[in-house]
Amino acid sequence: HLPHPPPPPPFRLVYSGDCRPSHSLAIAARSGSELGQKCFSQQISITPSLLVHEATFCDNAADHARKKRHSTVSEALGVAQDMGARGVILTHFSQRYKWSLEEIRKDMAQERKDEVGGKVTRIKFPNVCCAVDGLMVPLTERAMTGLETLDHAIAAATISSDGEDEEEEKDDMDDENI
């Protein structure tokens, strides 16, 4: 009689909503749900597979983010790091502000300080993607490892379509001036 291997950890989605970063959310997500702990007789980590977190502001607008009760890119990634999320989708980018997804992606690429056991090391958070309208991501562990690749594809498509839109607007303005 062969023992059965333990089942794989369940896919866990954590959604933060429209808010400031929450240390309490990170603690709750890291500790696992009661249901998850009841389902597994062995002590295994039930860390979140995916965190969906708003990042309305770039890092250089941290004061404005606090006043408006929103999060910056680094704050959202800090919550993900604190809870041990394996993937992050950043969302809630306001059209009111002048920065672009390109600037948000620059903030995503920055190394972050990780203070573990009093030791400060530099890390870069992997598997991060900026949400766009209509984005559909399979909720699987395999998909979480490809979020960074997905983001590069979205960025390439966004940049090429932005250039086309600017050209169309310029053509429209030229037609109006004739």
Side-chain angles (χ1 to χ4, degrees), residues 100-102 105 151-166:
S100 64
L101 285 180
E102 189 175 316
R105 285 188 175 92
D151 193 64
H152 291 305
I154 292 169
T158 305
I159 290 168
S160 68
S161 71
D162 286 348
E164 290 170 13
D165 292 344
E166 288 173 17

Side-chain angles (χ1 to χ4, degrees), residues 68 148 164:
K68 297 288 186 179
E148 192 170 13
E164 290 170 13

Side-chain angles (χ1 to χ4, degrees), residues 24 46 63 73 92 101 107 117-118:
S24 298
I46 307 176
D63 289 340
V73 172
H92 199 252
L101 285 180
D107 287 346

Side-chain angles (χ1 to χ4, degrees), residues 37-170:
Q37 291 180 7
K38 287 178 185 174
C39 289
F40 297 101
S41 57
Q42 301 172 350
Q43 282 291 65
I44 62 170
S45 174
I46 307 176
T47 58
S49 306
L50 175 65
L51 169 65
V52 178
H53 201 291
E54 73 117 296
T56 303
F57 293 93
C58 290
D59 291 349
N60 63 4
D63 289 340
H64 200 57
R66 277 189 288 283
K67 287 178 194 169
K68 297 288 186 179
R69 307 212 31 85
H70 288 291
S71 300
T72 66
V73 172
S74 286
E75 289 171 333
L77 293 179
V79 171
Q81 181 179 325
D82 289 348
M83 70 175 58
R86 292 185 291 282
V88 182
I89 296 179
L90 298 176
T91 188
H92 199 252
F93 310 115
S94 177
Q95 299 301 312
R96 280 184 260 175
Y97 305 108
K98 58 187 169 200
W99 45 83
S100 64
L101 285 180
E102 189 175 316
E103 290 174 83
I104 288 170
R105 285 188 175 92
K106 285 179 188 172
D107 287 346
M108 285 168 35
Q110 298 299 313
E111 291 183 337
R112 301 202 164 24
K113 288 183 181 177
D114 182 20
E115 297 184 33
V116 178
K119 183 178 176 183
V120 177
T121 57
R122 303 291 287 176
I123 65 157
K124 179 182 180 263
F125 200 93
N127 299 321
V128 181
C129 181
C130 288
V132 293
D133 289 346
L135 177 67
M136 292 176 25
V137 177
L139 298 181
T140 64
E141 290 298 328
R142 184 170 181 229
M144 295 307 97
T145 62
L147 287 176
E148 192 170 13
T149 303
L150 175 61
D151 193 64
H152 291 305
I154 292 169
T158 305
I159 290 168
S160 68
S161 71
D162 286 348
E164 290 170 13
D165 292 344
E166 288 173 17
E167 286 298 318
E168 287 176 19
E169 286 176 18
K170 185 178 176 190

